[in-house]
Amino acid sequence: MSHSSLGTALITGASSGIGAVYADRLARRGHDLVLVARDGARLHALASRLMAETGRQVDVMTADLGNAAQRARVEQRLRDDARLTLLVNNAGIGSPAKLLEADVEQMTHLIELNVTALTRLTYAAVPGLVARGGGAVINISSIVSITPELLNGVYGGSKAFVTAFSQSLHHELAARGLRVQAVLPGATATEFWARSGLAVEHLPKEWVMSAEALVDAALVGFDRGELITVPPLQEEAPLLAYEAARQAMAGKLSSNTPAARYASA
Ligand SMILES: NC(=O)c1ccc[n+]([C@@H]2O[C@H](COP(=O)([O-])OP(=O)(O)OC[C@H]3O[C@@H](n4cnc5c(N)ncnc54)[C@H](OP(=O)(O)O)[C@@H]3O)[C@@H](O)[C@H]2O)c1
Protein backbone atom coordinates (compact mmCIF):
# COMPACT_ATOMS: atom_id res chain seq x y z
CA MET A 1 0.00 0.00 0.00
CA SER A 2 1.55 3.33 -1.04
CA HIS A 3 1.29 6.46 1.07
CA SER A 4 -1.26 9.02 -0.06
CA SER A 5 0.02 12.10 -1.86
CA LEU A 6 -2.74 14.01 -0.01
CA GLY A 7 -1.06 13.06 3.25
CA THR A 8 -2.70 11.98 6.49
CA ALA A 9 -5.87 13.41 8.04
CA LEU A 10 -6.41 12.92 11.78
CA ILE A 11 -10.12 12.98 12.68
CA THR A 12 -11.34 13.15 16.28
CA GLY A 13 -14.71 11.67 17.18
CA ALA A 14 -14.53 9.38 14.14
CA SER A 15 -16.44 6.47 15.71
CA SER A 16 -19.90 7.83 14.84
CA GLY A 17 -21.93 10.64 13.29
CA ILE A 18 -20.23 13.52 11.51
CA GLY A 19 -16.68 12.29 12.23
CA ALA A 20 -17.36 8.84 10.74
CA VAL A 21 -18.69 10.48 7.55
CA TYR A 22 -15.57 12.69 7.33
CA ALA A 23 -13.49 9.51 7.62
CA ASP A 24 -15.39 7.93 4.72
CA ARG A 25 -15.24 11.03 2.51
CA LEU A 26 -11.58 11.86 3.19
CA ALA A 27 -10.47 8.25 2.56
CA ARG A 28 -12.36 8.30 -0.76
CA ARG A 29 -10.63 11.60 -1.64
CA GLY A 30 -7.32 9.82 -1.10
CA HIS A 31 -6.20 10.75 2.40
CA ASP A 32 -4.62 8.22 4.73
CA LEU A 33 -6.35 8.51 8.10
CA VAL A 34 -5.84 8.43 11.84
CA LEU A 35 -9.17 7.85 13.58
CA VAL A 36 -9.53 8.93 17.22
CA ALA A 37 -12.33 8.27 19.75
CA ARG A 38 -12.95 6.18 22.87
CA ASP A 39 -14.79 3.26 21.25
CA GLY A 40 -11.97 1.17 19.79
CA ALA A 41 -14.25 -1.56 18.42
CA ARG A 42 -16.19 0.91 16.29
CA LEU A 43 -13.01 2.65 15.12
CA HIS A 44 -11.41 -0.67 14.08
CA ALA A 45 -14.57 -1.74 12.22
CA LEU A 46 -14.63 1.57 10.32
CA ALA A 47 -10.89 1.41 9.63
CA SER A 48 -11.16 -2.15 8.23
CA ARG A 49 -14.04 -1.18 5.96
CA LEU A 50 -12.31 1.95 4.67
CA MET A 51 -8.99 0.18 4.07
CA ALA A 52 -10.80 -2.56 2.11
CA GLU A 53 -12.93 -0.12 0.11
CA THR A 54 -10.36 2.61 -0.60
CA GLY A 55 -6.92 1.00 -0.23
CA ARG A 56 -5.85 3.84 2.07
CA GLN A 57 -3.87 3.37 5.28
CA VAL A 58 -6.19 3.89 8.28
CA ASP A 59 -4.74 3.89 11.81
CA VAL A 60 -6.78 3.86 15.01
CA MET A 61 -6.00 5.66 18.26
CA THR A 62 -8.34 4.83 21.12
CA ALA A 63 -8.27 7.79 23.50
CA ASP A 64 -10.53 9.76 25.80
CA LEU A 65 -9.73 13.32 24.74
CA GLY A 66 -11.15 14.59 28.01
CA ASN A 67 -8.34 12.76 29.81
CA ALA A 68 -5.03 14.66 29.77
CA ALA A 69 -2.78 11.55 29.75
CA GLN A 70 -4.70 9.84 26.93
CA ARG A 71 -4.94 13.09 24.98
CA ALA A 72 -1.17 13.55 25.27
CA ARG A 73 -0.64 10.44 23.07
CA VAL A 74 -2.72 12.05 20.33
CA GLU A 75 -0.86 15.35 20.71
CA GLN A 76 2.43 13.44 20.36
CA ARG A 77 1.21 11.75 17.17
CA LEU A 78 0.23 15.15 15.74
CA ARG A 79 3.65 16.59 16.58
CA ASP A 80 5.60 13.58 15.24
CA ASP A 81 3.70 12.66 12.06
CA ALA A 82 5.46 14.50 9.25
CA ARG A 83 2.83 13.21 6.79
CA LEU A 84 0.01 15.03 8.59
CA THR A 85 -1.76 17.52 6.28
CA LEU A 86 -5.22 17.85 7.86
CA LEU A 87 -6.66 17.90 11.38
CA VAL A 88 -10.42 17.56 11.77
CA ASN A 89 -11.38 18.67 15.30
CA ASN A 90 -14.81 17.06 15.45
CA ALA A 91 -15.16 15.27 18.83
CA GLY A 92 -17.61 17.16 21.00
CA ILE A 93 -20.51 16.77 23.39
CA GLY A 94 -23.56 18.93 24.01
CA SER A 95 -26.28 19.58 26.52
CA PRO A 96 -29.75 21.10 26.36
CA ALA A 97 -29.86 21.84 30.14
CA LYS A 98 -30.48 25.37 31.41
CA LEU A 99 -28.04 26.71 34.01
CA LEU A 100 -30.36 26.08 36.97
CA GLU A 101 -30.71 22.40 35.97
CA ALA A 102 -27.20 21.77 34.67
CA ASP A 103 -24.44 20.04 36.63
CA VAL A 104 -21.29 22.19 36.73
CA GLU A 105 -19.05 19.07 36.75
CA GLN A 106 -20.61 18.00 33.44
CA MET A 107 -20.16 21.53 32.10
CA THR A 108 -16.48 21.42 33.08
CA HIS A 109 -16.13 18.08 31.28
CA LEU A 110 -17.79 19.62 28.20
CA ILE A 111 -15.27 22.49 28.20
CA GLU A 112 -12.41 20.01 28.62
CA LEU A 113 -13.45 18.19 25.43
CA ASN A 114 -14.97 20.93 23.25
CA VAL A 115 -12.45 23.66 24.13
CA THR A 116 -9.31 22.33 25.86
CA ALA A 117 -8.84 19.22 23.70
CA LEU A 118 -9.53 21.14 20.48
CA THR A 119 -7.04 23.82 21.52
CA ARG A 120 -4.30 21.40 22.57
CA LEU A 121 -4.61 19.26 19.42
CA THR A 122 -4.48 22.39 17.26
CA TYR A 123 -1.38 23.61 19.10
CA ALA A 124 0.20 20.17 18.59
CA ALA A 125 -0.57 20.03 14.85
CA VAL A 126 -0.16 23.57 13.54
CA PRO A 127 3.57 24.27 14.05
CA GLY A 128 4.48 21.20 11.97
CA LEU A 129 1.93 22.02 9.27
CA VAL A 130 3.30 25.55 8.97
CA ALA A 131 6.92 24.35 9.01
CA ARG A 132 6.11 21.97 6.13
CA GLY A 133 4.61 24.81 4.12
CA GLY A 134 0.95 24.42 4.97
CA GLY A 135 -1.99 22.17 5.68
CA ALA A 136 -5.51 22.50 6.98
CA VAL A 137 -7.58 22.50 10.16
CA ILE A 138 -11.32 21.86 10.02
CA ASN A 139 -13.07 22.73 13.28
CA ILE A 140 -16.60 21.47 13.85
CA SER A 141 -18.36 24.34 15.59
CA SER A 142 -22.17 24.79 15.61
CA ILE A 143 -24.89 27.27 14.75
CA VAL A 144 -25.19 27.79 18.52
CA SER A 145 -21.91 29.72 18.29
CA ILE A 146 -24.13 32.42 16.72
CA THR A 147 -27.30 31.55 18.66
CA PRO A 148 -26.22 30.48 22.18
CA GLU A 149 -29.81 30.90 23.40
CA LEU A 150 -30.85 27.68 21.60
CA LEU A 151 -29.26 25.03 23.86
CA ASN A 152 -27.10 25.02 26.97
CA GLY A 153 -25.08 28.23 27.33
CA VAL A 154 -21.80 26.49 28.11
CA TYR A 155 -22.20 24.39 24.97
CA GLY A 156 -22.97 27.56 22.97
CA GLY A 157 -20.01 29.32 24.58
CA SER A 158 -17.70 26.40 23.79
CA LYS A 159 -18.71 26.58 20.13
CA ALA A 160 -18.35 30.40 20.07
CA PHE A 161 -14.78 29.70 21.20
CA VAL A 162 -14.31 27.27 18.30
CA THR A 163 -15.55 29.81 15.73
CA ALA A 164 -13.50 32.70 17.20
CA PHE A 165 -10.37 30.54 17.51
CA SER A 166 -10.80 29.51 13.86
CA GLN A 167 -11.11 33.15 12.75
CA SER A 168 -7.96 34.03 14.66
CA LEU A 169 -6.01 31.03 13.30
CA HIS A 170 -6.97 32.05 9.77
CA HIS A 171 -5.92 35.64 10.44
CA GLU A 172 -2.56 34.62 11.90
CA LEU A 173 -1.53 31.81 9.60
CA ALA A 174 -3.35 31.90 6.24
CA ALA A 175 -0.35 33.68 4.74
CA ARG A 176 1.86 30.81 5.99
CA GLY A 177 -0.21 28.26 4.05
CA LEU A 178 -2.65 27.16 6.77
CA ARG A 179 -6.22 26.62 5.56
CA VAL A 180 -8.80 26.94 8.35
CA GLN A 181 -12.51 26.20 8.20
CA ALA A 182 -15.12 26.42 10.94
CA VAL A 183 -18.17 24.31 10.09
CA LEU A 184 -21.43 25.35 11.78
CA PRO A 185 -23.94 22.48 11.56
CA GLY A 186 -27.53 22.95 12.61
CA ALA A 187 -29.45 19.98 14.01
CA THR A 188 -27.89 16.87 12.49
CA ALA A 189 -29.18 13.30 12.84
CA THR A 190 -26.45 11.69 14.97
CA GLU A 191 -26.05 10.12 18.40
CA PHE A 192 -25.23 13.62 19.70
CA TRP A 193 -28.87 14.16 20.64
CA ALA A 194 -29.40 10.90 22.52
CA ARG A 195 -26.05 11.37 24.26
CA SER A 196 -27.17 14.88 25.30
CA GLY A 197 -30.47 13.55 26.66
CA LEU A 198 -32.72 14.77 23.82
CA ALA A 199 -34.34 12.55 21.17
CA VAL A 200 -33.60 13.98 17.72
CA GLU A 201 -36.95 12.43 16.62
CA HIS A 202 -38.69 15.14 18.68
CA LEU A 203 -37.28 17.90 16.45
CA PRO A 204 -39.25 18.98 13.37
CA LYS A 205 -38.02 16.92 10.38
CA GLU A 206 -37.41 20.10 8.35
CA TRP A 207 -34.72 21.13 10.86
CA VAL A 208 -32.68 17.94 10.85
CA MET A 209 -29.98 17.24 8.25
CA SER A 210 -28.29 13.87 7.70
CA ALA A 211 -24.62 13.67 8.67
CA GLU A 212 -23.83 12.68 5.07
CA ALA A 213 -25.50 15.78 3.60
CA LEU A 214 -23.84 17.97 6.24
CA VAL A 215 -20.32 16.69 5.55
CA ASP A 216 -20.69 16.70 1.76
CA ALA A 217 -21.87 20.33 1.87
CA ALA A 218 -19.12 21.30 4.31
CA LEU A 219 -16.51 19.81 1.97
CA VAL A 220 -17.90 21.90 -0.90
CA GLY A 221 -17.37 24.95 1.36
CA PHE A 222 -13.86 23.71 2.20
CA ASP A 223 -12.96 23.29 -1.47
CA ARG A 224 -14.20 26.85 -2.10
CA GLY A 225 -11.84 28.15 0.58
CA GLU A 226 -14.57 29.25 3.00
CA LEU A 227 -13.55 30.19 6.53
CA ILE A 228 -17.09 29.88 7.95
CA THR A 229 -19.44 27.30 6.44
CA VAL A 230 -23.07 27.05 7.54
CA PRO A 231 -24.62 24.26 5.43
CA PRO A 232 -28.24 24.63 6.64
CA LEU A 233 -28.44 28.42 6.16
CA GLN A 234 -30.45 28.74 2.93
CA GLU A 235 -29.84 32.46 2.28
CA GLU A 236 -26.21 33.55 2.44
CA ALA A 237 -27.01 37.30 2.67
CA PRO A 238 -27.52 37.48 6.50
CA LEU A 239 -24.21 35.68 7.08
CA LEU A 240 -22.40 38.11 4.77
CA ALA A 241 -24.10 41.08 6.50
CA TYR A 242 -23.14 39.68 9.92
CA GLU A 243 -19.50 39.46 8.85
CA ALA A 244 -19.66 42.92 7.25
CA ALA A 245 -21.01 44.39 10.53
CA ARG A 246 -18.18 42.73 12.45
CA GLN A 247 -15.58 44.10 10.03
CA ALA A 248 -17.19 47.58 10.18
CA MET A 249 -16.67 47.62 13.97
CA ALA A 250 -13.07 46.39 13.76
CA GLY A 251 -10.70 49.33 14.23
CA LYS A 252 -13.36 51.30 16.08
CA LEU A 253 -13.56 49.15 19.19
CA SER A 254 -10.81 50.80 21.22
CA SER A 255 -10.80 54.49 22.20
CA ASN A 256 -9.49 56.70 25.02
CA THR A 257 -12.94 58.31 25.19
CA PRO A 258 -16.22 56.60 26.17
CA ALA A 259 -18.95 56.90 23.56
CA ALA A 260 -21.20 59.95 23.93
CA ARG A 261 -24.16 57.73 24.89
CA TYR A 262 -22.34 56.89 28.15
CA ALA A 263 -21.84 60.52 29.23
CA SER A 264 -23.24 60.90 32.78
CA ALA A 265 -26.20 63.25 33.00
N1 LIG B 1 -25.54 16.54 15.80
C1 LIG B 1 -25.82 17.84 15.82
O1 LIG B 1 -26.98 18.28 15.77
C2 LIG B 1 -24.66 18.81 15.88
C3 LIG B 1 -24.95 20.17 15.59
C4 LIG B 1 -23.92 21.10 15.64
C5 LIG B 1 -22.63 20.68 15.96
N2 LIG B 1 -22.40 19.36 16.23
C6 LIG B 1 -21.02 18.98 16.59
O2 LIG B 1 -20.59 17.94 15.74
C7 LIG B 1 -19.53 17.23 16.37
C8 LIG B 1 -19.73 15.74 16.15
O3 LIG B 1 -20.90 15.31 16.81
P1 LIG B 1 -21.96 14.32 16.17
O4 LIG B 1 -23.19 15.08 15.93
O5 LIG B 1 -21.36 13.55 15.06
O6 LIG B 1 -22.26 13.39 17.44
P2 LIG B 1 -21.83 11.91 17.83
O7 LIG B 1 -22.33 10.92 16.82
O8 LIG B 1 -22.22 11.77 19.27
O9 LIG B 1 -20.24 11.92 17.70
C9 LIG B 1 -19.39 12.43 18.68
C10 LIG B 1 -18.03 11.77 18.50
O10 LIG B 1 -17.15 12.28 19.50
C11 LIG B 1 -16.56 11.19 20.18
N3 LIG B 1 -16.30 11.55 21.56
C12 LIG B 1 -17.19 11.92 22.52
N4 LIG B 1 -16.58 12.12 23.68
C13 LIG B 1 -15.26 11.86 23.46
C14 LIG B 1 -14.11 11.88 24.28
N5 LIG B 1 -14.17 12.19 25.59
N6 LIG B 1 -12.90 11.56 23.74
C15 LIG B 1 -12.83 11.22 22.43
N7 LIG B 1 -13.87 11.20 21.60
C16 LIG B 1 -15.08 11.51 22.12
C17 LIG B 1 -17.56 10.05 20.08
O11 LIG B 1 -16.93 8.78 20.11
P3 LIG B 1 -16.71 7.82 21.40
O12 LIG B 1 -18.00 7.79 22.16
O13 LIG B 1 -16.32 6.51 20.76
O14 LIG B 1 -15.58 8.44 22.16
C18 LIG B 1 -18.08 10.27 18.66
O15 LIG B 1 -17.22 9.67 17.72
C19 LIG B 1 -19.52 17.68 17.83
O16 LIG B 1 -18.45 18.58 18.04
C20 LIG B 1 -20.85 18.41 17.99
O17 LIG B 1 -20.79 19.42 18.97
C21 LIG B 1 -23.37 18.43 16.20
Side-chain angles (χ1 to χ4, degrees):
M1 191 181 301
S2 65
H3 281 315
S4 161
S5 60
L6 288 182
T8 300
L10 185 142
I11 307 167
T12 68
S15 63
S16 68
I18 293 168
V21 179
Y22 266 106
D24 180 272
R25 300 310 194 251
L26 294 175
R28 286 178 204 290
R29 282 181 169 216
H31 279 280
D32 293 328
L33 301 178
V34 182
L35 307 180
V36 182
R38 293 166 302 178
D39 190 331
R42 283 175 116 181
L43 291 178
H44 281 289
L46 178 60
S48 301
R49 176 173 74 77
L50 292 179
M51 284 194 285
E53 290 179 5
T54 69
R56 301 294 7 138
Q57 177 62 39
V58 184
D59 294 346
V60 162
M61 290 189 81
T62 306
D64 180 346
L65 294 173
N67 175 296
Q70 295 184 33
R71 188 170 61 215
R73 290 191 286 111
V74 183
E75 292 174 38
Q76 195 64 45
R77 171 76 190 244
L78 288 167
R79 274 192 293 269
D80 291 350
D81 190 342
R83 302 195 57 260
L84 184 84
T85 52
L86 171 61
L87 168 63
V88 183
N89 277 313
N90 163 77
I93 50 172
S95 166
K98 305 279 179 242
L99 186 143
L100 294 180
E101 288 85 47
D103 170 12
V104 73
E105 299 306 331
Q106 272 178 18
M107 297 296 109
T108 306
H109 178 61
L110 184 157
I111 293 168
E112 188 71 13
L113 182 63
N114 294 11
V115 176
T116 306
L118 180 139
T119 304
R120 293 196 63 101
L121 297 190
T122 304
Y123 267 71
V126 163
L129 293 177
V130 170
R132 293 190 292 276
V137 177
I138 297 175
N139 288 329
I140 306 304
S141 179
S142 166
I143 56 155
V144 300
S145 71
I146 301 176
T147 51
E149 299 88 348
L150 274 181
L151 292 172
N152 170 277
V154 177
Y155 178 59
S158 76
K159 293 302 187 177
F161 172 90
V162 174
T163 300
F165 184 49
S166 304
Q167 288 167 318
S168 165
L169 263 182
H170 168 76
H171 174 73
E172 287 186 20
L173 290 169
R176 304 278 303 273
L178 190 74
R179 277 270 300 109
V180 182
Q181 183 194 28
V183 177
L184 279 59
T188 310
T190 68
E191 295 169 21
F192 172 89
W193 292 92
R195 292 182 201 240
S196 312
L198 262 188
V200 70
E201 293 74 25
H202 292 167
L203 296 176
K205 276 199 171 56
E206 317 79 75
W207 288 7
V208 184
M209 194 177 286
S210 72
E212 289 77 9
L214 182 275
V215 173
D216 288 336
L219 285 170
V220 170
F222 180 77
D223 291 339
R224 287 187 186 149
E226 285 186 0
L227 168 56
I228 308 278
T229 298
V230 194
L233 184 68
Q234 303 292 312
E235 300 289 334
E236 195 180 22
L239 186 64
L240 298 176
Y242 182 66
E243 179 59 14
R246 208 174 68 82
Q247 295 294 346
M249 282 189 289
K252 298 181 186 166
L253 290 167
S254 219
S255 170
N256 60 5
T257 312
R261 66 185 178 284
Y262 298 118
S264 42

